[in-house]
Amino acid sequence: MKRVSRRTALKVGGAAAGAVAVTGLSMIPAAAPPRPHTIAEAGALLRAGRVTSVELTRAALGEAARLQARLNAFITLTAAQALDAAARLDAELAHGADRGPLHGIPIACKDLYSTAGVLTSVGSHVFADRVPTEDAAVITRLAEAGAVSIGKTNLNEFAAGIDGKNSYYGDIHNPLRPERSAGGSSGGTGAAVGAGIVAAGVGSDTGGSVRVPAAWNGVVGIRPTHGLVSLYGAFPRAPRFDVAGPLGRTVRDTAVMLGAMVGQDPRDPYSRPAGKPDYLAACDLGIAGLRIGLIEGFSLTGLDPDVETAVRRTLPVLDRLGARVTTVRIENLPTMLDFAAAFTILRWEFAQAMRDIYDPAPDKSIFGPAVRADMEAATKLTQADYDAAVARRFSDAAPMRATLADVDLLLTPTMPTVAPRLDTHSDEFTRGRRYTIPFTYADLPSISVPCGHGAQGLPIAVQFVGPEFGEALLFRAAAAIERETRKW
């Protein structure tokens, strides 16, 4: 089968339109309503009658179409479905039915979540015509909360990688510097939010795939506790590590999204009960009295100079706001930075998910290089290797998790560099795993929040890490930093 590039062939519509590739994107309506910056601003305009959801949705679709050639953020735009949903939500609001903060708000969803009647490609040539008959749990929950999905965003093929590259649909470009990476694997969502197309969107995070694009696009992204959000209907990368997580233009946008996404689901074997905490309220609580730990030999090492400067600049801010910053030690830090067990779990589980797709393919070149590399690495693993890695995981993680008895949160950079050029050697991308994979492996939630800018005005972010189900603490700290860094 010949490999072709889909760099400029954005799809518009769903099953009714045959998901036909079009040029010029003529289906997307022109729009010129107010362009609110945040979910709260859009909601206020909606409830004041100054704008409709249809107008907001048209504007988002118009921006997505206008910026597609520059960013390549989307694989499919669902114009007809989005405008129909927006019209229904406008009618509801006119009759006094208000679903909450997300009512009528345009969002974007990573193209690994199944959507009924709409192409769900998982970024792969192999799934270029795959149209599910059922929505993923995340899609359903957000629709029930009133969100309007304008389309499916581009990603690393089968979510394999953090560089935002895709050999079939084309690479994703950073809205601030298009020659730079938007990150991955949720790079399309990150770019769409960073460019202001939507105020928020959905990604997924296995080893950093929400946090990396959040950092490099200058937005907020949270990796919640494993099992907090159902992954029913999401294509798996590594089920023991996979989580669904939102990205938002602000901390409050991200909190609203996560609040709508959480909930136990018997269809997901990893789903866990957690109630319905008020993450939005947590954003206003401040950080006075919180203990925040810097990890000795880790939090401030291995960074590019501009990243180190920006991270260090946050420390007196935390102190001034009433938090106590201290240093903690993780006795087995070299083990946590080795990644051998983490990659054994990830590659073994990915191979199990891919076997029926990958093995029968006579020409493996239809898969991108990251997928082929993971599948090749998995051939060197045995069931015994996988079982041993799973068995040692929580003893390896115990010293890191134990530090959260002495402090409330840990602080690191999200990435050690600003967004690299897309044509940069892969080492510039893999360096960043140092600050994301250990917390995945330890099963600890974390949030990335902008904290300044570095070379060429590119964003830099800090990462707060908390205990299991400690998302409210993460939002408290991230909101406090966000309020201060907006002044810089």
Side-chain angles (χ1 to χ4, degrees):
M1 186 181 296
K2 183 180 178 182
R3 183 192 300 173
V4 296
S5 171
R6 300 299 300 276
R7 174 67 179 83
T8 58
L10 176 69
K11 293 190 174 184
V12 179
V20 178
V22 297
T23 58
L25 304 174
S26 57
M27 289 179 62
I28 306 302
R35 292 302 310 278
H37 181 71
T38 67
I39 289 172
E41 289 173 8
L45 290 172
L46 279 167
R47 289 164 183 82
R50 293 179 55 196
V51 72
T52 66
S53 178
V54 167
E55 289 174 324
L56 292 175
T57 301
R58 281 179 178 157
L61 287 163
E63 278 296 279
R66 184 179 72 83
L67 293 173
Q68 179 65 10
R70 176 181 172 90
L71 303 180
N72 199 32
F74 286 86
I75 290 174
T76 305
L77 288 177
T78 52
Q81 296 94 324
L83 291 167
D84 284 349
R88 290 194 300 272
L89 290 160
D90 281 335
E92 286 183 13
L93 202 58
H95 288 87
D98 190 335
R99 299 184 184 218
L102 280 172
H103 189 112
I105 305 297
I107 64 166
C109 298
K110 186 175 182 177
D111 198 27
L112 62 65
Y113 294 102
S114 291
T115 40
V118 175
L119 174 70
T120 302
S121 72
V122 201
S124 179
H125 189 176
V126 180
F127 283 170
D129 298 308
R130 176 174 176 255
V131 178
T133 59
E134 183 182 13
D135 284 340
V138 163
I139 302 297
T140 299
R141 288 189 184 277
L142 287 166
E144 289 173 346
V148 178
S149 176
I150 67 165
K152 309 295 288 296
T153 53
N154 200 357
L155 66 155
N156 286 75
E157 183 186 19
F158 289 113
I162 63 167
D163 55 15
K165 296 181 181 181
N166 188 303
S167 59
Y168 182 57
Y169 285 103
D171 301 340
I172 310 161
H173 297 259
N174 193 293
L176 294 168
R177 294 282 188 275
E179 76 280 4
R180 302 268 176 163
S181 172
S185 62
S186 309
T189 302
V193 176
I197 295 170
V198 290
V202 183
S204 67
D205 191 307
T206 302
S209 290
V210 162
R211 293 163 287 169
V212 175
W216 284 347
N217 291 283
V219 301
V220 180
I222 187 167
R223 174 191 167 86
T225 300
H226 187 253
L228 182 66
V229 179
S230 172
L231 283 174
Y232 178 80
F235 193 89
R237 170 81 166 127
R240 288 184 183 273
F241 295 158
D242 294 346
V243 302
L247 297 95
R249 209 170 299 169
T250 67
V251 176
R252 295 179 71 87
D253 291 341
T254 312
V256 167
M257 288 285 289
L258 185 61
M261 292 163 63
V262 301
Q264 192 170 17
D265 185 350
R267 300 170 299 177
D268 177 355
Y270 290 97
S271 181
R272 302 163 68 186
K276 292 286 284 186
D278 189 343
Y279 299 130
L280 199 54
C283 295
D284 297 324
L285 295 179
I287 57 172
L290 290 187
R291 301 162 300 165
I292 297 174
L294 295 172
I295 302 171
E296 184 179 307
F298 178 75
S299 288
L300 296 173
T301 62
L303 311 179
D304 283 1
D306 50 354
V307 176
E308 181 176 351
T309 297
V311 174
R312 286 187 181 278
R313 192 177 179 186
T314 67
L315 303 182
V317 173
L318 295 169
D319 182 70
R320 176 166 52 78
L321 295 176
R324 182 162 61 89
V325 180
T326 187
T327 300
V328 298
R329 296 191 64 191
I330 297 173
E331 297 298 335
N332 68 337
L333 186 59
T335 297
M336 296 301 289
L337 297 177
D338 176 73
F339 303 154
F343 279 126
T344 294
I345 295 169
L346 189 156
R347 286 169 174 154
W348 179 267
E349 293 190 351
F350 184 60
Q352 305 318 300
M354 289 290 295
R355 284 293 175 215
D356 291 343
I357 303 163
Y358 190 85
D359 289 354
D363 179 7
K364 301 299 191 285
S365 70
I366 65 172
F367 298 94
V371 170
R372 296 198 305 271
D374 274 355
M375 295 302 288
E376 175 61 26
T379 65
K380 300 177 174 62
L381 300 173
T382 66
Q383 180 75 52
D385 294 331
Y386 171 71
D387 291 343
V390 170
R392 63 176 277 192
R393 179 184 176 192
F394 286 102
S395 61
D396 283 350
M400 179 178 284
R401 293 165 68 93
T403 63
L404 292 168
D406 300 320
V407 295
D408 299 297
L409 299 170
L410 301 171
L411 172 66
T412 77
T414 308
M415 298 296 284
T417 71
V418 297
R421 291 180 58 91
L422 278 163
D423 58 6
T424 296
H425 189 275
S426 63
D427 287 351
E428 281 301 295
F429 293 101
T430 55
R431 279 178 62 194
R433 293 171 172 163
R434 167 184 174 91
Y435 298 98
T436 58
I437 288 180
F439 306 114
T440 290
Y441 187 59
D443 199 16
L444 298 174
S446 52
I447 192 168
S448 176
V449 61
C451 69
H453 294 83
Q456 300 185 56
L458 289 164
I460 295 169
V462 291
Q463 176 178 229
F464 291 101
V465 181
E468 283 189 297
F469 302 109
E471 285 76 15
L473 282 173
L474 297 178
F475 284 123
R476 284 178 63 184
I481 284 293
E482 180 183 67
R483 283 190 289 270
E484 294 300 313
T485 57
R486 280 179 179 172
K487 305 170 187 174
W488 297 353

